[in-house]
Amino acid sequence: MARVLVVDDEPGIREFVAEALLDDDHEVAQAASGEAAWALLEREGFDVVLSDLRMPGMDGMALLRRLRERQPDVEVVILTAHGDVDTAVEAMRLGAFDYLQKPLGSLGELRLLIRRAAERRSLRNFQEAHQSAVEAGPELTFGAPAMTPVVAALRKVAVTDATVLLIGESGTGKEIAARAVHGWSRRRGGPFVAVNCAALAEQLLESELFGHEKGAFTGAVARRRGRIEVAQGGTFFLDEVGELALPLQAKLLRLLQERTFERIGGGPTLRADVRWIAATNRDLPAMIADGRFREDLFHRLAVFPVVLPPLRERREDIEPLAERLLAQACANLGRKPLRLDPSARALLRRARWSGNVRELANTLERAAILADGEVLHDSELAIPGLGLAPAPAAPPAPAVSAAHTAPAGEPGLEGPPRPLQDLERDAIEAALRHFEGNRIRTAEALGIGVRTLYDKIKRYNLGE
């Protein structure tokens, strides 16, 4: 049913209530004070807190205020004596779900109230999960045969708690696949938390993952919960895990092995009750051979590896996916819906899509901005610099994606073959110029991690 924390300084009442709730199939923990309750709440996730109003030290009102501030999704029921009803009503104004008067009239009333509070928590989780699914974007597939075994494998592993490693090029929809696994799992009522390992510097990423104690480093003016704590009871998605620095790889390995961790700066040992999904567009075995990725961590992450095929290998998905993405782009831009004419559909089917779904989405959004009428034509899709290759006999793709679309010496390129490193340098330079120096968007367009992009910028002397 639900995870319930019973808080009361009187052992007899606390144990009586806990036993009644255990008989109703709830998972119940007990705390003899507000301080002990908060220590438990920081380590573990609860759906409902049933707290006495008057206790020495941190009383029920103080506990309620702290919960509303730091864990607002937890439902709170107050136990109060007859003379404290006005205070209990005030507690409801502060966000308590309801209150019960002592002595308890009946166990049935207690169980019903806790059941209702747990149902409201479940409803909120469902609404958040539904909203996450809406925001996640397009479906995994629209019927492409190449995706049939992928979806079947993901559905099978979803009902377990096994760690999943999603492998595929940048933009193939690895986060969408991770959200699908979460939605099909028994943890779907819990949170889905995603962290991009390439988007933050090493120290910031460590704090984002594990949280920190006050004074742990310069600027740590207060204790901060990490994203792993926020994900308790749900799914944690580590995107671009191949970009993790080696020291962080060691800490992640310990976390996966022991299922416990500490915030930066010490503090209590916390339990990590999460389901792990990782994703990468890197060749991790090659990185292991080069000493850039730990082999033991790879085996921990690759319990159930799934390869997502690129968009060019599932062309049956392109048109329905484009329609969905175009409708979404029009809605976001606040403009009337656009239709794809036959010429635009044909161009979309022929394009190489080296950037996969992400490139397709960006292309359609830009086209929606440029389009004047209600129909989108191929001329509004063929924008220089987007890596489109409409037809085999067409001129070569622009420099921004040359490294992905046409190797040196391919028929149709003028002049003698050029070294691959020159093509790569030109592609990075053109992409940086196209995205006005935005390195995250540049890395996404080129299909590499941000840290890899930084290394190449330094190697080719492409700094500011």
Side-chain angles (χ1 to χ4, degrees), residues 303-346:
V303 175
F304 195 89
V306 177
V307 177
L308 296 180
L311 193 56
R312 60 186 172 274
E313 294 179 10
R314 43 186 172 110
R315 293 192 175 272
E316 298 85 353
D317 282 346
I318 291 176
E319 282 192 56
L321 180 58
E323 290 172 349
R324 180 74 61 88
L325 291 170
L326 182 59
Q328 185 177 317
C330 291
N332 291 341
L333 293 168
R335 63 155 297 155
K336 291 182 179 180
L338 282 166
R339 290 182 291 107
L340 293 164
D341 83 343
S343 67
R345 291 176 182 275

Side-chain angles (χ1 to χ4, degrees), residues 35 138 147 160 184 213 231 233 284 308 328 367 428:
E35 291 82 1
M147 286 295 290
T160 75
W184 295 329
E213 297 289 340
L284 295 186
L308 296 180
Q328 185 177 317
I428 293 171

Side-chain angles (χ1 to χ4, degrees), residues 3-14:
R3 297 201 76 223
V4 183
L5 176 60
V6 179
V7 190
D8 200 304
D9 59 322
E10 297 184 45
I13 294 177
R14 187 175 69 244

Side-chain angles (χ1 to χ4, degrees), residues 1 69 73 151 153 182 194 212 218 225 257 289 300 365 446:
M1 291 286 287
E69 178 185 347
D73 53 337
V151 174
H182 174 70
H212 60 252
T218 303
R225 296 171 75 211
Q257 288 173 335
R300 282 281 176 181
E365 183 175 0
L446 295 172

Side-chain angles (χ1 to χ4, degrees), residues 28-67:
V28 183
Q30 301 180 41
S33 66
E35 291 82 1
W38 187 249
L40 275 173
L41 284 158
E42 286 199 300
R43 289 200 305 270
E44 305 177 32
F46 291 92
D47 301 305
V48 182
V49 171
L50 176 66
S51 176
D52 189 22
L53 185 61
R54 296 198 178 276
M55 295 180 291
M58 183 190 293
D59 63 11
M61 290 293 283
L63 180 60
L64 171 63
R65 288 190 179 95
R66 187 173 291 189
L67 277 166

Side-chain angles (χ1 to χ4, degrees), residues 142-174:
F142 294 88
M147 286 295 290
T148 301
V150 173
V151 174
L154 292 175
R155 281 192 175 276
K156 285 184 177 180
V157 75
V159 299
T160 75
D161 259 354
T163 301
V164 178
L165 178 63
L166 301 171
I167 304 164
E169 297 177 8
S170 179
T172 49
K174 294 187 286 294

